[in-house]
Amino acid sequence: MEPTAASSVALQPPTYGNLITVLSIDGGGIRGLIPGTILSFLEAELQKLDGEEVRIADYFDVIAGTSTGGLVTAMLTTPNEKNRPLFAAKDIKDFYLKQGPKIFQQNRCPFLPQVSKIVKALSGPKYDGKYLRSLVKEKLGNARLHQTLTNVVIPTFDINRLQPTIFSSFEVKKNPSLDALLSDVCIATSAAPTYLPAHYFETRYPSGKVRNFNLIDGGVAANNPALVAIGEITKEVSRGSPDFFPVKPVDFGRFLVISLGTGSSKAEKKYNARDAAKWGILNWLSKGGSTPIVDVFTQASADMVHLHLSAVFQALHTEKSYLRIQDDTLRGDVSSVDIATEKNLDHLVKVGEGLLKQPVSRVNLDTGLCEPSSKETNAEALIRFAKILSLERLLRLARSPHGRAANSK
């Protein structure tokens, strides 16, 4: 398809369309390769419809991401010198393949690796985070939260205030102290306890007063940020934002949500109460190559969101508007958040590719596990969503003054 003048116009507000479109990306360290692979497929389908120049950010009202998902969110929405996304979705996979081993440098000590892990866990985070910090600052430069090409929602957790801090494109309009460098936001939301160091930075209020941030991984509060994104939108609607008029705050039928997991090992059933009843702090920090305490809180927050959204969309008979793509059968190294060997990275790419071929799943509210719910595969569902997203974008362009002006050129 040939490019048009309208193809460079930002996505117009939902008030000109029929839907509110949300993309959500879970946390999961190096397993960000999985949603990265899926996003590459979705963007390719959108390009088949609207031309090679379009990007994921051109179709979603909000992109939310936690931890590694927050980094992907920034990559998809930070503007380059041409005011287009810094990364195409297809570039994300290569980013993880190239940079993952440098971010998560593997233990080179062949002797007593478990003892080495325990000593490291007691003395400080597993990784010093220096390479990640320098890399993110280099890639994202001086871009700030208010500059993203579509609305973003990136959760973190402030250990000084003991409460979540949500970096939201909506909130920054009301509270300029949240207008942090995107590099700082990404470093903070990725600071998983025991893996990477907490991140401190400052911003200023318009009055000049300094605001301090003492942040760790957003997965502590919302490893699956889909519900946080919907909450931010609902607040905007409640405030009477003209961008969302006349959408009703609780009208889930107007939401189109794609939620991408980074995989889990729930089906493996790693731990049991008889063993855990005897654990002390060392076991909770390191057990069988994993960090049980981190596994527990990240999986719990992700599943609670998925259980809630599944129940709501099913109750409102709008299941076709909600797509959760997740593999809960990961085992061994591939379930790790930080094993960045060439072999494991290749396996993670194959997990993402394999998920596309699997049938759409819905959570079983009794077992908590995802089970096939349709003959439609995830790839087929994404193709269907791509068509809806394309039509919604074109509808908004046709109805909005900016779109009509662009089409007349």
Side-chain angles (χ1 to χ4, degrees), residues 330-352:
L330 302 186
R331 295 178 180 273
D333 287 356
V334 78
S335 67
S336 167
V337 299
D338 67 328
I339 295 180
T341 61
E342 183 178 348
K343 179 181 179 181
N344 198 48
L345 294 174
D346 182 59
H347 284 170
L348 287 168
V349 172
K350 290 178 179 176
V351 169

Side-chain angles (χ1 to χ4, degrees), residues 2 39 42 94 99 120 156 179 188 220 261 304 307 323 394:
E2 290 296 322
L39 286 169
L42 174 59
D94 290 338
Q99 306 296 347
K120 184 67 175 175
T156 65
D179 195 23
V220 172
M304 286 299 291
L307 286 168
L323 178 63
L394 290 173

Side-chain angles (χ1 to χ4, degrees), residues 304-339:
M304 286 299 291
V305 171
H306 182 38
L307 286 168
H308 174 79
L309 289 179
S310 291
V312 169
F313 277 92
Q314 289 177 38
L316 296 176
H317 305 290
T318 56
E319 297 98 324
K320 289 288 187 180
S321 296
Y322 173 61
L323 178 63
R324 171 72 169 168
I325 301 182
Q326 172 73 315
D327 186 336
D328 55 16
T329 64
L330 302 186
R331 295 178 180 273
D333 287 356
V334 78
S335 67
S336 167
V337 299
D338 67 328
I339 295 180

Side-chain angles (χ1 to χ4, degrees), residues 170-381:
F170 303 114
E171 285 299 314
V172 78
K173 298 171 186 175
K174 293 174 60 264
N175 186 352
S177 72
L178 288 172
D179 195 23
L181 290 169
L182 285 167
S183 58
D184 280 326
V185 175
C186 288
I187 294 166
T189 194
S190 302
T194 77
Y195 286 94
L196 289 162
H199 189 51
Y200 174 87
F201 63 91
E202 300 173 352
T203 63
R204 291 185 180 275
Y205 291 90
S207 64
K209 179 183 176 183
V210 173
R211 176 171 179 177
N212 303 318
F213 294 90
N214 300 267
L215 304 177
I216 62 172
D217 190 345
V220 172
N223 204 49
N224 174 348
L227 198 56
V228 178
I230 291 173
E232 289 295 298
I233 293 169
T234 303
K235 283 193 293 183
E236 281 296 287
V237 173
S238 299
R239 292 167 181 159
S241 168
D243 286 349
F244 291 92
F245 178 83
V247 180
K248 296 180 181 178
V250 294
D251 190 356
F252 276 74
R254 300 292 294 274
F255 283 91
L256 181 150
V257 179
I258 298 177
S259 175
L260 303 181
T262 58
S264 81
S265 56
K266 287 174 62 178
E268 191 177 6
K269 304 186 187 305
K270 284 186 174 182
Y271 317 115
N272 64 73
R274 290 187 179 90
D275 291 337
K278 306 170 188 176
W279 290 356
I281 188 171
L282 294 181
N283 294 119
W284 280 104
L285 289 175
S286 182
K287 189 71 174 177
S290 299
T291 308
I293 189 66
V294 176
D295 289 346
V296 169
F297 70 66
T298 55
Q299 196 60 55
S301 64
D303 280 359
M304 286 299 291
V305 171
H306 182 38
L307 286 168
H308 174 79
L309 289 179
S310 291
V312 169
F313 277 92
Q314 289 177 38
L316 296 176
H317 305 290
T318 56
E319 297 98 324
K320 289 288 187 180
S321 296
Y322 173 61
L323 178 63
R324 171 72 169 168
I325 301 182
Q326 172 73 315
D327 186 336
D328 55 16
T329 64
L330 302 186
R331 295 178 180 273
D333 287 356
V334 78
S335 67
S336 167
V337 299
D338 67 328
I339 295 180
T341 61
E342 183 178 348
K343 179 181 179 181
N344 198 48
L345 294 174
D346 182 59
H347 284 170
L348 287 168
V349 172
K350 290 178 179 176
V351 169
E353 293 171 345
L355 270 172
L356 292 170
K357 301 174 184 176
Q358 293 180 15
V360 171
S361 298
R362 293 279 182 266
V363 67
N364 182 317
L365 299 181
D366 293 323
T367 66
L369 295 176
C370 292
E371 299 175 352
S373 63
S374 168
K375 293 182 179 179
E376 184 181 43
T377 66
N378 287 317
E380 290 168 341

Side-chain angles (χ1 to χ4, degrees), residues 43-119:
E43 191 169 86
E45 291 303 316
L46 291 167
Q47 289 170 344
K48 289 178 183 177
L49 296 168
D50 297 329
E52 292 184 1
E53 74 286 348
V54 299
R55 298 289 183 264
I56 292 287
D58 297 327
Y59 295 89
F60 288 96
D61 296 306
V62 183
I63 301 180
T66 298
S67 191
T68 197
L71 178 57
V72 172
T73 296
M75 292 165 72
L76 294 172
T77 61
T78 299
N80 62 17
E81 65 280 358
K82 296 180 180 179
N83 207 38
R84 296 295 292 148
L86 192 62
F87 284 77
K90 66 180 180 181
D91 299 326
I92 293 172
K93 182 174 74 172
D94 290 338
F95 175 88
Y96 277 88
L97 291 174
K98 179 180 179 181
Q99 306 296 347
K102 299 176 184 178
I103 296 170
F104 300 112
Q105 293 187 8
Q106 303 304 289
N107 183 9
R108 300 182 184 278
C109 177
F111 306 106
L112 303 175
Q114 191 62 24
V115 173
S116 176
K117 288 180 181 178
I118 293 173
V119 172

